[in-house]
Structure formats: C-alpha cells, structure tokens
C-alpha cells in the first residue's frame, strides 16, 4: 500500500528555531498570564491581520464563547447563525444561554444567506453569528445592512480565514468582533490558540477580564469569567510559525490550483467559486458531488480514497442542528441548501507539504 495521506498535517517551524524561542523562559520562569511572548505575539498578529485590537485566547472556541459573553447579550435572546459549521459555533451560543436560530446558506460559497435574515428576525433577536466557512468571505455588506437596520450585533466566526483580506481590508475588521482559531489543523497554528479582533475598547476590557476569571484587579472580580489564557510556550510556537506562514500559504496555493485544474468543469462535481476581491489563505478544498450527474456519490468517493490510504473528510456533516445533543432541544429551522451541501461534501487533503504528484493521485481516484 502506498503511503497514507491524512486530510491535514500541522505546520511546524524547524526544531532549533522553536528551541531557541523558548530558551529564555528557563530564565524568566514566566510561563503564562500575559507574559513577554504573549505581548510580542499580540503585537505581531495585530499588525499581520491588519486589525485594531486583538485578544489572544487559549483556543478559538473560548474566543467565540467569551466574545459572546463580553457582548452582554440578553440571556435567552436569539442569535442567527448557520448550521453548516464546526460544533464550536453553535455550542458557543448555547453555552452562553442564548438560542441559535438557523439560517440557510448560499449554494455557491456556503456562507450565511443574508437574503433570508429578515424573515428570521423576531423581537428576541440580539445578534448575528455568520461563519466565513472554508475561508469564503460572507456577504459582509448585506449582513451589516440588516444588522444596522434592526440594531443587532455581529460576531464573525473567522476561524477559517487567517490572513485573508477582502477588498484589501483584513477580514478581522468586519462586524463588532471576529474570532480566529490557531488550532493545530488550521492554516496558522499555535498548537491550540485563538483570538478575538474588535474595535470597541470597553468590549476589549470586559473580554480581557473574562479571559482571566473576570478579575479586574487584585481585589475586584467584575465578571463570571473563565480561564482562557494563552501561555508562553504556545506564544513561542506562534511567533515561530508566523515567520513561515506566508510560505505555507504559497505552498497551499499550488495544491489548490492543481485541484482546480484537475477537477473543474467535470459534470456533477461542484467546486466553490474563486471569490472576487479576496486574498485567499487556501484553507480547505471542498468538493460537492451530485451523484445523478457524476455517477458516484460522496460516500463512495470517500471509501475509494480511504481504500488507497487517503483521508478526506465530510466537513461539515452532520449539520450542527442535527447533533444528538440538540435533538428536541433547539428549533431545527428549515435549511434545505445546508442539508444538501452536508450530504454531498467532501473536503480533500490539503496542507503545505502535500506534493503535486499526491494531489494528482487523489484526483485520479476521484475522477476514475
Ligand atoms: C476550528 C474552529 C473553531 C474552534 O476553534 P478551536 O481553536 O478548535 O477551539 C470554531 N469555528 C470553526 C468554524 C472552526 O473551524
């Protein structure tokens, strides 16, 4: 059997570079709680992402959960979101005592369909939580327009869009806040990690305290916070990986271009379009199979790839609205486009060091 290809492979700096970066921690003995590397990484990421403010967190999920908390949305109010996402998005809403209301997605890029928003707004709606899924940028103009008209907050789940720009603007600048994930499997990783980007200083202060148990100062605890602090070893990994991320993205681009070359224009096989005015990070490569036209369904292709030692993923299946934990608990909503996408999607292996010959081998199996 040929060598196994997993769906992703984490980026790591040369070992010596990381060893060098952590050396001074043996001197300082400052391992966590907003240390020197935390500060440096905050500055470097703020500049790299082109955002006004950035708060590092222990992971992307806590970034989202605590950003929602810091918004101070009324308990029990409704947050309009999509079910075509990772578990984290919906869980963050529910864990805040808020109610997710599921909006359908657009058929071309799988982001929230803003034309369906107004029909879902009630007097209990407090916010919109769209997802820049696969690195596809949402229709930010249309979402902002609806949000403004109805006085709603907007928090973007930007976990997939590290380093992307839309009309030359860093993607973390849209909405009241945007969250990133630096999980090991993402384009840029700090092993585990995440960040909230925001503009409003008072929100930032609340968020900073919530990340550290709600502690405002030594004798004052103002919020029922959590512990979502980012440690110095993780910050060191972040500093190293940031030096290489542009190279990593360039390498991913080669793979994505090869996939597009090989898989475009095939009957019954649908790709997300290349978005106009977007500088992509080439995070994921989803393919959608129409079995009637293509001749094979998604599960068959997945089995064929698995038989050759190649891991592809049904990312995102099932929809979060179909999770066992939400059965009979949440209103399901009607999301026919999301249903269809979830049952036909396969995301193909994609990482910086995937060779073009392996990419070809994957395409041969799909089209064979
Ligand atoms: C990865 C991811 C998250 C959560 O990030 P973690 O760093 O894994 O906690 C949230 N939303 C989406 C869409 C993700 O892909």
């Amino acid at each position: 059997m040929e060598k196994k290809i997993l769906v992703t492979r984490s980026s790591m700096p040369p070992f010596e570079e990381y060893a060098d970066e952590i050396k001074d921690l043996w001197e300082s003995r400052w391992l966590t709680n907003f240390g020197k590397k935390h500060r440096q990484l905050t500055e470097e990421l703020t500049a790299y992402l082109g955002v006004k403010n950035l708060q590092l967190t222990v992971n992307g999920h806590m970034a989202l959960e605590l950003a929602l908390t810091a918004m101070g949305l009324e308990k029990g109010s409704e947050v309009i979101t999509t079910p075509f996402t990772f578990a984290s998005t919906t869980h963050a809403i529910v864990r805040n005592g808020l109610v997710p209301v599921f909006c359908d997605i657009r058929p071309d890029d799988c982001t929230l369909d803003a034309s369906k928003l107004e029909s879902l707004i009630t007097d209990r709606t407090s916010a919109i939580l769209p997802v820049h899924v696969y690195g596809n940028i949402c229709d930010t103009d249309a979402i902002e327009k609806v949000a403004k008209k109805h006085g709603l907050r907007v928090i973007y789940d930007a976990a997939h869009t590290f380093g992307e720009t839309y009309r030359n603007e860093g993607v973390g600048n849209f909405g009241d806040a945007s969250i990133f994930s630096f999980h090991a499997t993402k384009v840029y990783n700090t092993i585990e990690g995440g960040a909230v980007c925001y503009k409003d200083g008072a929100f930032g202060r609340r968020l900073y305290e919530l990340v550290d148990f709600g502690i405002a100062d030594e004798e004052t605890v103002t919020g029922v916070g959590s512990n979502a602090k980012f440690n110095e070893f993780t910050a060191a990994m972040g500093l190293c990986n940031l030096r290489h991320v542009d190279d990593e993205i360039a390498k991913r681009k080669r793979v994505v271009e090869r996939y597009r070359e090989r898989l475009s224009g095939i009957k019954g096989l649908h790709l997300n379009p290349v978005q106009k005015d977007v500088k992509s990070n080439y995070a994921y490569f989803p393919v959608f199979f129409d079995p009637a036209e293509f001749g094979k369904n998604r599960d068959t292709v997945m089995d064929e790839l698995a038989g050759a030692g190649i891991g592809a993923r049904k990312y995102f299946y099932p929809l979060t609205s179909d999770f066992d934990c939400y059965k009979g608990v949440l209103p399901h909503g009607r999301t026919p486009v999301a249903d269809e996408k979830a049952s036909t999607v396969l995301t193909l292996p994609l990482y910086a060091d995937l060779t073009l010959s392996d990419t070809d081998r994957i395409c041969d199996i799909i089209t064979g």
Side-chain angles (χ1 to χ4, degrees), residues 59-61 85-86 88-89 131 157 159-160 181-183 186 193 315:
N59 54 49
H61 177 78
T85 183
F86 184 54
S88 173
T89 319
V131 184
D157 184 336
H160 294 177
S181 163
F182 311 143
H183 183 255
K186 303 295 207 277
Y315 202 56

Side-chain angles (χ1 to χ4, degrees), residues 176-231:
D176 296 292
S178 293
I179 74 96
F180 290 97
S181 163
F182 311 143
H183 183 255
T185 57
K186 303 295 207 277
V187 168
Y188 166 75
N189 87 79
T190 63
I191 311 171
E192 292 267 8
V196 183
C197 300
Y198 60 92
K199 295 175 205 104
D200 180 60
F203 167 85
R205 185 71 216 172
R206 283 195 300 278
L207 179 66
Y208 173 85
E209 291 171 10
L210 288 167
V211 163
D212 189 19
F213 302 101
I215 296 173
D217 64 44
E218 273 173 31
E219 300 186 355
T220 321
V221 177
T222 54
V224 186
S226 189
N227 179 4
K229 297 191 303 292
F230 194 85
N231 73 68

Side-chain angles (χ1 to χ4, degrees), residues 313-345:
R313 282 190 62 195
K314 298 183 210 176
Y315 202 56
F316 295 97
Y317 172 87
L319 298 178
T320 64
S321 49
D322 287 329
F323 285 177
D324 284 359
C325 59
Y326 293 135
K327 284 215 174 96
V329 177
L330 292 180
H332 187 279
R334 280 190 60 253
T335 56
V337 178
D339 292 342
E340 199 253 332
K341 294 293 169 191
S343 63
T344 58
V345 70

